[in-house]
Structure formats: C-alpha cells, structure tokens
Amino acid sequence: MDKASYEVRTNKVELLSILSLDGTVNKELMPNLSDDQLRELMRRMVFTRTWDQRAISLQRQGRLGFYAPVSGQEASMVGSEFALNKEDFVCPGYRDMPQIVWHGLPMYQAFLYSKGHQHGGEVPEDVNVLMPQIIIGAQIVQSAGVAMGLKKRGKKNVVITYTGDGGSSQGDFYEGMNFAGAFKLPVIFVVQNNGYAISTPSSKQTAAETIAQKGLAAGIKSVQVDGMDVLAMYKAVQDAAERGRNGEGATLIEAITYRFGPHSMSGDDPTKYRTKDEESEWALKDPIVRFRKYLETKNLWSEDDEKNTIEDAKQTVADQIKKAESTAKMTIPDLIDSMFETTPPHLEEQKKAYLEKEGN
C-alpha cells in the first residue's frame, strides 16, 4: 500500500471575511441587507456592548450572580441571531445571553436567571429558546435533539447552538455533530473561538489545524468565519440556515473572535495568560469600530445615533434590573410545586416538613 492510498485527507478551510479593518466591503460577498437592517445590526451591537458594561457593574455590586462578559464578540452573537427567523430555535451556552434576549427572552428574566431565580428559566411560549447550558458542550446534543424534532414534524425551521473553543474539546460536541450528520438535521453549530478555554489557549486544547475541520469528520459542511465581522457572520448563518431549511443538513461555523474582558466575573484574570501586545492587536479588529467606519461612509450612522443608542441601553438595563429586583423572591415550596404538574407524594412530604420547620 503506498502512502497516498492510506492517508486520511481533509479539505482546506478558507476564512470568510467581508468587512476589512478600514471599513470597506467585498461587494461580491456582501449579503442583501437594506439600509434599515444595516443600521439595526449596528444598533444591536452598540446596545449589547453598553448592556455588557452595565451588567459587569451590576455583578460587582452583588446585584447579579454569574456573568460572562461578551465585549468583542458582538459581531458573532448579533450577526448570527439576526440571520434567523423568529420561529427558529436558539440553544445557547452561558455566554450567549444577547442572542436569546434579541430572540425574544425578556431581559429582566435573563437577569433573574443570573441571580438563580426559577422565573428566569420560564421561557415565554412564543419564544423559541432554551435556557443557557452551564455544562460545557451539553447544548450541542440538545440542539441535535431539537433539530430531529423539527425534522420529524416537517418544519422548515433551523436550530442554532453556540459553544466556545473549549466546548469543542468535549465529548458532547462530537456526539451532537455525528448525530446531526447521520440524520442530516437542520442545525447550525457555532463555535465562538475566542482563543481561550478560560485560560487555556486553543493551541494546547487541540492539535487540529482548525476547529472547522472537526465537522468534516462528521460529514457536515464546515466553514471558518471572521467572527469580528458582523456581515460575514450574518452571511455564514444565512447560508447555513438556507441549507438546513432545504434538507441539506447541518453546518459547523468556526467564528474566529476575541473576548476583550475576562472569561467570567468569577475570579478570572486575563493578565495572567494574555499579553498587552495580543490585546492591542485584537483591539484593531473591534467589530463595532469596523462596522461604524462602513456605515459612516454610507451616511447610515452618526455620533448622535451612537449616543442615543447608548442612552437607550443604559435606561433599558436600569428598568429591567429594577423589574427583576422587584420580582417576588423564590421560595422552597414554590420551587417544589413548579417541578411537576402533580407533585409526587415524597416531595409533598418534604414540603410539609419544611413548612412545619421554617414556615415558608
């Protein structure tokens, strides 16, 4: 047997990028978006960054619980969700709060989720999202299951799910993709490769040349996208969604992006494992700066637009955290009663014993 006959070969993965650092676009790849849609993409990214800054402050004040900053990843988050229909499903990881709020989950419920309140996990019936997975990579399997359900019911909707580059090292990642590939399911796997699984660099997590190539082994279309380019992310997801709706199966999108802040507000210190030079290099690719340059050349964005969006975001966050903080506190009996349509006898006994001891 000669070498050529037993080598496993993989396809070369090209990086999709549309918006350059100076704000010019590749017209051949430019998605068909109206001026209003372009402005809305910008509004949502600016809004999300302001919301992120306020959420960090609220967490430091003890008014939120767990929080994972998103600054730097607005293009991959906002651009991908914007390409979906309201009827499509979003299965997020714990950093993906912007996508599920832009998909319809009330923001005050996202705050309640962060605070550990059960009402934070009660998704309105007309909102097609699952609550964020804390277990690393578990949402990959969930999304494949939801996609199978859609296929069996003959729906033309797709499922999108997100994980980080660390999540792509989990067993669930391979199981979910294999299932989706075997059954040609309408699911879009987005790996937001921000370079680090908490503090472990991607180069120490995997020997694969790209994460996108891992999808090829599962028999699904796999692409690598400039995750700091909102237009590229929109196009990649739009194309993947069209494939899913047409019965052509799943897509893996590796979004090359960067989180400007820490992994979470729970003690991570990126200065321990990143250099100033690296952070400065990525700052030049800031998705909001790049897109702003493009919109300004088309007279679609101004300083007043930016200022008004920031003020709107600050006021919205203030109103929504007030609503969250005025929600009745969760009680042990309420938690037990909400678990089953008919509470099992052993839990009724436990609730009775608790009430006799604690009163509420």
Side-chain angles (χ1 to χ4, degrees):
M1 181 182 293
D2 60 24
K3 184 177 180 181
S5 64
Y6 63 78
E7 275 189 344
V8 175
R9 297 181 182 276
T10 59
N11 296 341
K12 183 70 176 177
V13 174
E14 301 290 341
L15 179 72
L16 172 63
S17 182
I18 296 175
L19 183 63
S20 67
L21 298 187
D22 65 4
T24 57
V25 300
N26 183 331
K27 294 182 179 178
E28 292 184 1
L29 298 175
M30 183 67 186
N32 185 22
L33 289 164
S34 68
D35 288 349
D36 285 344
Q37 288 175 310
L38 291 171
R39 283 174 49 83
E40 180 62 13
L41 276 171
M42 184 63 177
R43 189 188 75 81
R44 291 189 183 191
M45 286 204 293
V46 173
F47 188 106
T48 298
R49 181 161 298 184
T50 306
W51 160 21
D52 183 60
Q53 292 165 347
R54 294 296 303 134
I56 290 171
S57 295
L58 291 168
Q59 198 278 339
R60 285 173 173 160
Q61 295 167 21
R63 297 167 69 184
L64 288 181
F66 178 82
Y67 183 72
V70 304
S71 179
Q73 298 188 209
E74 293 90 348
S76 63
M77 294 175 164
V78 171
S80 59
E81 193 283 330
F82 200 72
L84 303 175
N85 297 331
K86 176 76 173 173
E87 293 73 24
D88 296 328
F89 276 80
V90 180
C91 300
Y94 52 73
R95 197 182 303 279
D96 304 309
M97 303 308 286
Q99 296 96 306
I100 59 174
V101 169
W102 287 120
H103 209 63
L105 183 75
M107 184 185 286
Y108 85 96
Q109 284 194 256
F111 290 154
L112 286 173
Y113 172 82
S114 175
K115 293 161 72 72
H117 194 295
Q118 67 183 110
H119 183 53
E122 295 176 9
V123 180
E125 289 189 4
D126 61 343
V127 177
N128 289 347
V129 307
L130 270 59
M131 292 313 295
Q133 261 292 351
I134 294 294
I135 301 170
I136 307 301
Q139 66 272 28
I140 302 297
V141 177
Q142 286 182 324
S143 63
V146 174
M148 174 60 90
L150 292 174
K151 183 172 183 175
K152 281 184 171 293
R153 295 175 186 180
K155 301 288 186 180
K156 286 293 185 181
N157 308 123
V158 300
V159 184
I160 192 167
T161 186
Y162 302 85
T163 191
D165 46 305
S168 72
S169 298
Q170 294 292 108
D172 287 9
F173 179 75
Y174 300 97
E175 292 170 14
M177 284 201 304
N178 187 66
F179 189 79
F183 291 98
K184 297 193 73 170
L185 300 179
V187 56
I188 304 165
F189 303 106
V190 178
V191 177
Q192 297 182 93
N193 182 354
N194 62 26
Y196 295 90
I198 305 183
S199 58
T200 303
S202 299
S203 60
K204 291 187 177 180
Q205 293 177 52
T206 179
E209 185 176 342
T210 72
I211 292 172
Q213 286 168 316
K214 296 183 178 183
L216 299 176
I220 63 177
K221 184 175 179 60
S222 302
V223 298
Q224 195 178 50
V225 180
D226 181 349
M228 310 291 271
D229 176 352
V230 69
L231 297 175
M233 282 302 302
Y234 175 88
K235 177 174 174 52
V237 173
Q238 185 185 49
D239 291 347
E242 184 177 355
R243 293 185 67 255
R245 297 186 212 287
N246 292 337
E248 298 173 49
T251 300
L252 169 63
I253 296 172
E254 179 188 3
I256 307 299
T257 185
Y258 199 73
R259 56 172 165 80
F260 292 149
H263 170 75
S264 75
M265 298 304 296
S266 302
D268 176 51
D269 180 2
T271 65
K272 302 291 186 184
Y273 54 87
R274 298 197 310 211
T275 66
K276 287 292 183 185
D277 287 344
E278 177 185 306
E279 292 178 351
S280 298
E281 182 180 343
W282 277 98
L284 297 174
K285 302 175 183 176
D286 188 317
I288 292 178
V289 173
R290 290 166 68 176
F291 198 48
R292 183 191 296 122
K293 289 178 181 176
Y294 170 63
L295 294 187
E296 286 177 343
T297 63
K298 294 172 65 68
N299 293 319
L300 292 177
W301 196 254
S302 66
E303 289 185 10
D304 284 345
D305 291 326
E306 187 107 358
K307 180 181 177 182
N308 292 337
T309 301
I310 290 171
E311 291 305 314
D312 178 39
K314 287 180 178 177
Q315 187 60 54
T316 300
V317 171
D319 293 343
Q320 294 294 303
I321 191 66
K322 183 178 180 180
K323 187 173 183 179
E325 291 176 336
S326 63
T327 300
K329 293 184 181 299
M330 187 172 71
T331 68
I332 297 297
D334 284 346
L335 179 60
I336 293 174
D337 289 341
S338 67
M339 297 299 291
F340 299 92
E341 184 174 355
T342 302
T343 305
H346 71 284
L347 287 180
E348 286 289 1
E349 291 177 8
Q350 292 180 29
K351 184 174 72 175
K352 181 181 178 182
Y354 175 84
L355 289 171
E356 289 176 352
K357 180 180 179 183
E358 303 290 341
N360 193 344

